[in-house]
């Protein structure tokens, strides 16, 4: 996949598709404000995003998050009754949406993704793999066969990926060098 510059229309579409929130990102900017200023900020963001793709350098300001404790339930005096959420830079959310859309389209067009790949895909949900498994089990049961299943918790699986191996795989599927995704 060769570098095709991001277009201003992609930035505006990405901004319009993000949820409106009043919470402030680490830079003190809400998505609500960005949506109102989309016409004014699209051109500067276009320059920053394209420069980032050309140089494979992700802006440090986009990497910052503000951690906010959210009360769950119980005694508010206990820290265990809070869960941290990260408020990410809104500009990084816009950029991420564009890269995600482009990468998804590329991988789909190359038929790279398995039909059993359900996560992070349009028109797929967490119920699809469960339905797939149940159908398989019922077919086996009806055919008087046995079914065995092993479940693995792959939380933080991406954190365990070797970046060098990931880069090679990305290059193999035509994503330029892999470095523009943040490695």
């Amino acid at each position: 996949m060769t570098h095709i510059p991001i277009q201003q229309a992609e930035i505006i579409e990405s901004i319009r598709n993000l949820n409106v929130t009043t919470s402030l990102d680490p830079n003190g900017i809400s998505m609500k404000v960005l949506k109102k200023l989309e016409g004014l900020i699209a051109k500067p963001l276009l320059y920053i995003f394209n420069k980032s793709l050309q140089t494979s350098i992700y802006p440090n300001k986009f990497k910052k998050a503000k951690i906010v404790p959210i009360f769950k339930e119980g005694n508010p005096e206990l820290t265990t009754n809070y869960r941290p959420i990260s408020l990410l830079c809104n500009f990084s959310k816009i950029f991420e949406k564009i890269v995600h859309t482009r990468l998804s389209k590329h991988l789909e067009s190359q038929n790279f993704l398995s039909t059993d790949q359900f996560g992070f895909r349009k028109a797929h949900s967490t119920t699809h793999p469960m339905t797939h498994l149940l159908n398989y089990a019922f077919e086996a049961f009806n055919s008087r066969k046995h079914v065995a299943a092993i479940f693995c918790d792959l939380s933080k699986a991406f954190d365990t990926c070797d970046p060098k191996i990931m880069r090679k795989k990305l290059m193999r599927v035509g994503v330029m060098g892999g470095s523009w995704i943040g490695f």
Side-chain angles (χ1 to χ4, degrees):
M1 183 164 100
T2 57
H3 172 65
I4 300 167
I6 292 173
Q7 302 298 309
Q8 196 164 327
E10 287 178 276
I11 293 173
I12 291 172
E13 181 183 354
S14 178
I15 293 170
R16 289 179 181 169
N17 288 332
L18 288 167
N19 294 331
V20 177
T21 60
T22 54
S23 58
L24 302 179
D25 74 357
N27 301 310
I29 304 169
S30 76
M31 188 57 75
K32 187 176 185 177
V33 169
L34 289 183
K35 283 183 175 266
K36 288 184 179 182
L37 300 174
E38 69 184 25
L40 295 172
I41 63 169
K43 195 168 184 177
L45 289 178
L46 180 68
Y47 176 80
I48 293 167
F49 294 169
N50 280 321
K51 193 59 122 176
S52 179
L53 290 176
Q54 288 168 357
T55 62
S56 298
I57 298 171
Y58 195 72
N60 283 331
K61 286 272 189 186
F62 287 8
K63 298 176 187 177
K64 297 196 188 299
K66 182 167 70 173
I67 311 300
V68 178
I70 301 295
F71 180 66
K72 294 187 288 187
E73 61 181 22
N75 183 350
E77 303 283 323
L78 298 174
T79 57
T80 55
N81 290 334
Y82 289 83
R83 67 178 176 86
I85 62 161
S86 299
L87 298 177
L88 304 174
C89 171
N90 286 323
F91 298 131
S92 71
K93 290 179 188 178
I94 297 165
F95 192 32
E96 178 185 331
K97 187 113 178 126
I98 292 167
V99 171
H100 177 268
T101 300
R102 286 174 162 227
L103 185 58
S104 295
K105 284 180 183 176
H106 175 70
L107 295 175
E108 293 280 349
S109 73
Q110 301 297 311
N111 292 321
F112 181 73
L113 301 176
S114 163
T115 55
D116 294 329
Q117 169 67 42
F118 299 104
F120 307 104
R121 291 180 72 189
K122 228 177 211 174
H124 291 74
S125 74
T126 54
T127 58
H128 284 116
M130 205 51 154
T131 304
H132 189 71
L133 175 65
L134 287 173
N135 286 339
Y136 180 80
F138 285 131
E139 284 176 22
F141 179 76
N142 289 335
S143 302
R144 300 191 182 275
K145 295 180 181 175
H146 296 282
V147 174
I150 297 174
F151 297 93
C152 301
D153 180 5
L154 297 177
S155 62
K156 299 195 179 195
F158 189 77
D159 296 343
T160 63
C161 291
D162 183 332
K164 290 177 184 171
I165 294 171
M166 182 66 78
R167 237 182 254 117
K168 285 180 186 175
K169 287 186 178 217
L170 289 170
M171 287 174 70
R172 197 175 327 129
V173 296
V175 176
M176 54 184 270
S179 59
W180 67 278
I181 293 187
F183 295 112

